[in-house]
């Protein structure tokens, strides 16, 4: 069926919406793909919905190909399952909560681990039933603190979420790898440029979780990439390459110096250079900065922790947070300093921390034998030559220091560079967190119950529409790869002349008969307006039937290549079909 622009429910806009900052948001609104209803809540108009459905189709096909089975759970959910896993509380303000007429608590599902675990528990009871992977393509709700960039970060959005259930670790790894490969196929088919990054430092065992990040300067996720080796990781997951240990023997004794008015690294370095304490130029990297944080553990107990990092680096809050999880990081307040008088602001050193039983973790660069200029725990005093492993012994290392461009890659094969991306997928070996919460067991081969192990995997389906728009647009408008374009070809009638009109109708009908999805611009608008709209709407191919028709010619424009070629009318349809089908 040919879709006629004269009938299509579409109004393109000349101006960018006032609230739009990123190109995909501006263009999707201007081209009439989506319309805003509330912050982070959007309607899909015909063109947008066609693209969304096509993204869904690709995702669905690849999920089916790994044997995952599609089901559909409600978005409106009772509180109890989320209470059992504590997520009713943990989700905090991000959860949309509501009450029914009887006063019962409900929520709008942000993700469905609980319900899938319960669904499997409800149906299956024997090891013979396993493994199983279930998925849905469904609307999710999260009351995001900063809904942003239109459908890129919505409060209502479409996600494909799947959940694997296995009898053992090995099975979970297989399910995880199947998803990893399926995701690569999905994103390759969609033509999106992306990297796979380790999401956690591996403390939980290898690649327990990975994220798929689409390259984009407007992305909110920062990651690092090593161009030489291809290593990529979330900033939180970067493992610092530690330098080799240094022999302690023969190193000079530590000396405490009077260093009046040197509470900052800059003032300390200035003093050290003025005093010539190292017999060479001192930099901030020669100093050891001791940052105090308060950890709140899940049981509610608090702990004061000392973090030692080279003075030329800042603490990266996200890395620190990921390293101490599940504890939460808080700042020390005046009361904490009062209660711990050995913490001398600006002059905190490892010695007082250790003498007072404060846990002290250091950056991996603080290796045994490394010598530091650091606080001597008295106002206006610092040590020079305080040697790790001799004068103080840290309780361990911590990944809390910022990662910088030019840092060595953890794989030893180049340097790191910071990059930005948009999370389009996430795969996660959950293990037994949810199956424990709901006691999801089946009868094992030996007659004993087996607790299932679970994975969860998400793709941002509606977000993908924005990501593709973001990566593929140009200054004229949207550009869609054929896989997701609302239509394969956009036929423009670029002349009032009856012959050209009839010719365009004929070309459109023949393209349609060849199985292509055809959008026909049969409006009475001027050719200039029509061409501008064609560029804005972004179908991959535009066929222009205009002045040349009388001479037996049509024009084929390739939206991606930006090229135009004249084709003889007799063979035009066959040529266009051949070109589009590649
Ligand atoms: P983000 O870090 O971007 O908030 P997330 O870690 O919360 O994402 P998951 O819970 O792993 O996301 O959800 C799976 C996928 O759903 C994500 O990879 C992303 O593509 C998509 N997604 C998550 N939140 C949103 C949102 N607010 N709007 C649109 N898509 C989203
Ligand atoms: Mg995630």
């Amino acid at each position: 069926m040919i879709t006629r622009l004269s009938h299509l429910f579409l109004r393109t806009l000349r101006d960018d919406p006032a609230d739009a900052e990123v190109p995909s948001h501006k263009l999707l609104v201007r081209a009439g793909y989506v319309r805003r209803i509330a912050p982070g809540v959007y309607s899909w108009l015909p063109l947008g919905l066609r693209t969304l459905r096509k993204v869904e189709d690709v995702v669905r096909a690849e999920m089916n190909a790994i044997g995952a089975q599609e089901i559909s759970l409600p978005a409106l959910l009772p509180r109890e399952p989320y209470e059992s896993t504590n997520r009713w509380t943990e989700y905090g303000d991000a959860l949309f909560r509501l009450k029914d007429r009887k006063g019962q608590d409900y929520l709008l599902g942000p993700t469905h681990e609980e319900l899938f675990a319960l669904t499997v528990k409800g149906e299956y009871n024997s090891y013979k039933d396993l493994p199983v992977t279930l998925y849905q393509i469904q609307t999710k709700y999260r009351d995001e603190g900063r809904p942003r960039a239109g459908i890129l970060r919505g409060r209502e959005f479409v996600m494909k979420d799947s959940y694997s259930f296995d009898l053992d670790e090995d099975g979970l790894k297989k399910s995880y790898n199947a998803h990893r490969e399926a995701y690569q196929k999905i994103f390759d088919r969609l033509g999106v440029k992306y990297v796979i990054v380790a999401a956690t430092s591996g403390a939980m065992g290898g690649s327990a979780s990975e994220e798929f990040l689409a390259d984009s300067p407007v992305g909110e996720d920062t990651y690092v990439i090593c161009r030489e080796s291809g290593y990529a990781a979330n900033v939180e997951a970067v493992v610092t390459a530690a330098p080799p240990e240094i022999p302690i023997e023969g190193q000079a004794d530590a000396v405490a110096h009077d260093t009046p008015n040197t509470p900052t690294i800059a003032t300390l370095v200035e003093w050290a250079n003025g005093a010539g304490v190292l017999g060479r130029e001192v930099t901030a990297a020669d100093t050891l900065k001791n940052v105090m944080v308060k950890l709140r553990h899940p049981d509610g107990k608090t702990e004061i922790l000392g973090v030692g990092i080279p003075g030329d680096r800042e603490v990266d809050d996200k890395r620190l947070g990921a390293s101490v999880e599940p504890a939460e990081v808080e700042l020390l307040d005046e009361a904490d300093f009062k209660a711990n008088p050995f913490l001398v602001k600006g002059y905190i050193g490892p010695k007082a921390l250790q003498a007072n039983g404060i846990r002290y973790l250091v950056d991996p660069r603080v290796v045994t034998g490394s010598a530091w200029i650091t606080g001597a725990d008295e106002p206006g005093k610092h040590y020079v030559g305080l040697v790790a492993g001799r004068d103080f012994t840290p309780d361990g290392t911590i990944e809390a220091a910022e990662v910088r461009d030019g840092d060595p890659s953890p794989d030893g094969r180049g340097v790191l560079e910071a990059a930005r991306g948009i999370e389009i997928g996430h795969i996660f070996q959950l293990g037994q967190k949810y199956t424990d919460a709901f006691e999801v067991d089946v009868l094992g081969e030996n007659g004993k119950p087996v607790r299932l192990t679970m994975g969860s995997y998400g793709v941002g389906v509606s977000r993908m529409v924005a990501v593709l728009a973001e990566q593929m647009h140009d200054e004229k408008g949207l550009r869609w790869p054929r896989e997701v374009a609302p239509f394969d070809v956009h036929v423009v009638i670029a002349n009032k002349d009856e012959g050209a009109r009839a010719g365009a109708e004929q070309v459109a009908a023949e393209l349609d008969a060849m199985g292509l999805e055809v959008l026909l611009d049969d409006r009475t608008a001027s050719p200039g307006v029509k061409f501008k709209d064609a560029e804005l709407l972004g179908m991959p191919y535009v066929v222009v039937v205009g002045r040349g028709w009388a001479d037996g010619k049509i024009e084929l424009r390739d939206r991606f290549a930006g090229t135009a070629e004249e084709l003889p009318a007799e063979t035009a349809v066959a040529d266009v079909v051949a070109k589009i089908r590649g």
Side-chain angles (χ1 to χ4, degrees):
M1 203 186 73
I2 299 168
T3 299
R4 290 165 187 277
L5 261 170
S6 60
H7 284 89
L8 186 63
F9 186 64
L10 170 73
R11 283 291 171 270
T12 56
L13 309 177
R14 204 162 333 162
D15 297 316
D16 290 333
D19 62 331
E21 283 162 17
V22 307
S24 62
H25 186 192
K26 291 176 186 168
L27 290 171
L28 289 168
V29 172
R30 275 185 48 209
Y33 279 63
V34 299
R35 287 288 177 258
R36 181 182 178 277
I37 298 294
V41 181
Y42 283 77
S43 302
W44 295 86
L45 300 188
L47 295 178
L49 191 60
R50 288 179 78 103
T51 293
L52 179 68
R53 294 278 183 255
K54 289 186 177 189
V55 173
E56 282 181 22
D57 290 345
V58 171
V59 172
R60 184 174 283 117
E62 297 301 338
M63 291 312 297
N64 293 343
I66 60 167
Q69 300 175 57
E70 186 170 8
I71 64 175
S72 182
L73 268 56
L76 179 64
L77 301 169
R79 168 178 174 162
E80 289 70 28
Y82 286 78
E83 190 71 60
S84 307
T85 58
N86 203 32
R87 290 214 289 186
W88 175 262
T89 311
E90 272 173 16
Y91 251 103
D93 289 340
L95 204 60
F96 275 107
R97 299 159 205 264
L98 59 163
K99 280 192 194 297
D100 72 2
R101 61 169 75 203
K102 292 186 179 135
Q104 300 295 317
D105 282 320
Y106 280 80
L107 62 110
L108 297 177
T111 171
H112 282 70
E113 280 77 3
E114 285 82 351
L115 277 297
F116 274 80
L118 283 169
T119 299
V120 168
K121 181 182 166 85
E123 306 302 317
Y124 275 0
N125 50 34
S126 159
Y127 73 94
K128 292 182 197 145
D129 299 327
L130 278 300
V132 66
T133 294
L134 302 173
Y135 77 99
Q136 58 179 350
I137 297 178
Q138 191 235 26
T139 306
K140 296 277 185 278
Y141 296 86
R142 294 182 186 177
D143 195 358
E144 299 275 358
R146 260 176 13 101
R148 182 179 165 263
I151 55 169
L152 207 50
R153 179 175 296 286
R155 297 197 296 165
E156 173 179 298
F157 59 97
V158 181
M159 193 200 290
K160 183 288 295 175
D161 48 327
S162 43
Y163 307 86
S164 64
F165 295 84
D166 281 279
L167 294 165
D168 54 29
E169 268 303 287
D170 255 16
L172 172 57
K173 290 218 165 78
K174 281 203 188 96
S175 300
Y176 181 90
N177 287 332
H179 273 87
R180 197 176 193 275
E181 282 169 28
Y183 279 25
Q184 288 173 288
K185 287 194 182 137
I186 290 168
F187 300 138
D188 289 344
R189 274 178 68 178
L190 295 174
V192 61
K193 289 197 276 307
Y194 68 98
V195 292
I196 304 176
V197 304
T200 52
S201 61
M204 290 154 65
S207 53
S209 166
E210 288 169 297
E211 288 175 355
F212 293 71
L213 301 181
D215 291 355
S216 171
V218 307
E220 289 178 87
D221 289 275
T222 48
Y223 65 100
V224 291
I225 182 157
C226 171
R227 304 274 172 205
E228 290 89 342
S229 69
Y231 166 90
N234 251 347
V235 172
E236 290 93 310
V238 174
V239 181
T240 306
E245 294 187 357
I246 300 164
I248 291 176
E249 238 185 66
Q251 293 204 43
D253 286 345
V255 179
H257 288 264
D258 282 324
T259 61
N261 302 319
T262 55
T264 64
I265 295 296
T267 48
L268 179 61
V269 169
E270 203 186 321
W271 166 82
N273 278 318
V277 288
L278 293 187
R280 61 167 170 86
E281 199 196 340
V282 174
T283 70
D286 295 309
T287 70
L288 179 62
K289 171 159 78 181
N290 299 300
V291 179
M292 306 307 299
V293 295
K294 188 152 76 175
L295 299 185
R296 184 170 297 277
H297 292 283
D299 60 7
K301 292 203 178 98
T302 60
E303 176 198 1
I304 291 178
L305 174 76
V307 177
I309 63 171
D312 62 331
R313 289 182 192 255
E314 298 300 328
V315 167
D316 177 323
D317 292 340
K318 272 191 161 175
R319 278 170 56 71
L320 171 64
S323 292
V324 301
E325 247 187 344
E328 305 264 343
V329 178
E330 295 175 5
L331 294 176
L332 271 69
D333 53 29
E334 281 311 314
D336 294 313
F337 281 98
K338 274 224 176 80
N340 298 286
F342 55 90
L343 297 176
V344 183
K345 274 192 201 166
Y347 302 92
I348 298 172
K351 286 195 164 212
L353 300 180
Q354 301 208 280
N356 290 280
I358 302 264
R359 198 151 63 99
Y360 181 55
L361 302 177
V362 294
D363 184 80
R365 293 172 193 82
V366 185
V367 292
T368 298
S370 58
W372 301 93
I373 302 177
T374 191
D377 306 303
E378 277 180 54
K381 269 197 191 300
H382 279 97
Y383 279 115
V384 173
L386 203 72
V387 173
R390 181 189 71 184
D391 304 320
F392 68 98
T393 307
D395 296 304
T397 59
I398 185 167
E399 295 290 353
E402 64 183 321
V403 179
R404 288 201 301 236
D405 279 358
D407 280 350
S409 173
D411 61 10
R413 289 159 56 205
V415 295
L416 299 177
E417 187 183 305
R420 286 186 160 279
I422 302 168
E423 187 183 319
I424 49 177
H426 189 180
I427 53 178
F428 198 16
Q429 294 182 31
L430 279 173
Q432 292 171 327
K433 173 170 177 192
Y434 295 90
T435 52
D436 278 346
F438 300 111
E439 302 182 330
V440 187
D441 297 340
V442 295
L443 212 53
E445 208 169 350
N446 57 6
K448 291 200 182 116
V450 180
R451 177 94 4 127
L452 298 186
T453 182
M454 204 174 150
S456 91
Y457 318 88
V459 170
V461 173
S462 53
R463 174 177 286 185
M464 182 56 67
V465 175
V467 165
L468 291 171
E470 204 57 55
Q471 284 194 346
M472 301 195 183
H473 77 278
D474 65 6
E475 67 290 347
K476 293 176 184 150
L478 296 165
R479 291 196 293 187
W480 300 110
R482 180 170 176 226
E483 190 90 55
V484 300
F487 295 92
D488 297 322
V489 56
H490 185 149
V491 178
V492 175
I493 306 176
N495 204 318
K496 291 209 175 69
D497 149 296
E498 271 313 307
R501 282 198 86 83
E505 291 282 354
Q506 182 195 324
V507 168
E510 287 175 24
L511 290 170
D512 178 58
M514 297 292 287
L516 294 187
E517 293 175 332
V518 182
L519 180 65
L520 175 64
D521 193 349
D522 59 342
R523 296 174 301 173
T524 51
S526 75
V529 166
K530 291 183 172 183
F531 292 148
K532 272 220 149 54
D533 274 349
E535 282 166 346
L536 177 63
L537 300 184
M539 296 333 128
Y541 292 95
V542 179
V543 169
V544 182
V545 183
R547 223 171 287 148
W549 181 258
D551 309 323
K553 292 211 165 72
I554 64 148
E555 191 181 291
L556 176 64
R557 297 183 179 179
D558 180 323
R559 183 72 183 85
F560 268 93
T563 53
E565 58 183 311
E566 281 208 326
L567 298 173
E570 316 83 80
T571 59
V573 167
D575 289 350
V576 169
V577 171
K579 185 113 192 176
I580 293 177
R581 296 236 162 100

